[in-house]
Amino acid sequence: MKRIFYLLTFLNLLSGAVLASETIRGRVVDARHEPLDAVAVILHTSDSLFVDAVVTDMDGVFVFSVPPAGRYRLFFQHLLYEHLEIEVSEEEIGDVQLTEKTML
């Protein structure tokens, strides 16, 4: 009976480790360091496989839950700002600054 208990406990811990994920988070700002909401942030693996997409909140914050370890690419898109692509491997990105599009 003890063996079954230990086996089930081990399997439970193992499944939690396999399903564990980390987060990639950051904040999108403009040239004045004001937060930008409604920015589409698209997450790809380093070999261009789509993982997830989110939209920044009112504070310009975005958060992704991703599998641990690895390199990812983030694409930032907004109608009034230039598109931006960055490569990341850290959990905390910090502030990402977008540049306004020039209107002709």
Side-chain angles (χ1 to χ4, degrees):
M1 187 67 161
K2 265 188 172 179
R3 285 185 180 182
I4 293 174
F5 173 76
Y6 288 128
L7 178 62
L8 291 175
T9 302
F10 174 74
L11 291 174
N12 188 27
L13 290 174
L14 183 61
S15 68
V18 170
L19 296 176
S21 64
E22 296 183 16
T23 58
I24 292 178
R25 69 179 65 238
R27 187 172 77 126
V28 181
V29 296
D30 64 10
R32 296 181 311 274
H33 293 282
E34 296 291 327
L36 293 175
D37 64 337
V39 176
V41 185
I42 304 160
L43 179 68
H44 285 250
T45 61
S46 60
D47 52 351
S48 298
L49 295 175
F50 174 82
V51 177
D52 200 1
V54 297
V55 175
T56 58
D57 65 13
M58 290 176 48
D59 298 319
V61 174
F62 64 91
V63 178
F64 289 102
S65 292
V66 297
R71 298 189 66 78
Y72 297 93
R73 288 174 24 198
L74 290 173
F75 297 88
F76 299 87
Q77 299 178 351
H78 191 283
L79 288 175
L80 302 176
Y81 293 86
E82 297 292 336
H83 298 268
L84 178 66
E85 175 185 342
I86 61 172
E87 192 159 324
V88 297
S89 61
E90 301 174 12
E91 295 175 25
E92 188 69 36
I93 307 303
D95 286 355
V96 176
Q97 184 175 333
L98 296 186
T99 306
E100 284 189 64
K101 288 182 179 178
T102 54
M103 303 295 178
L104 298 177

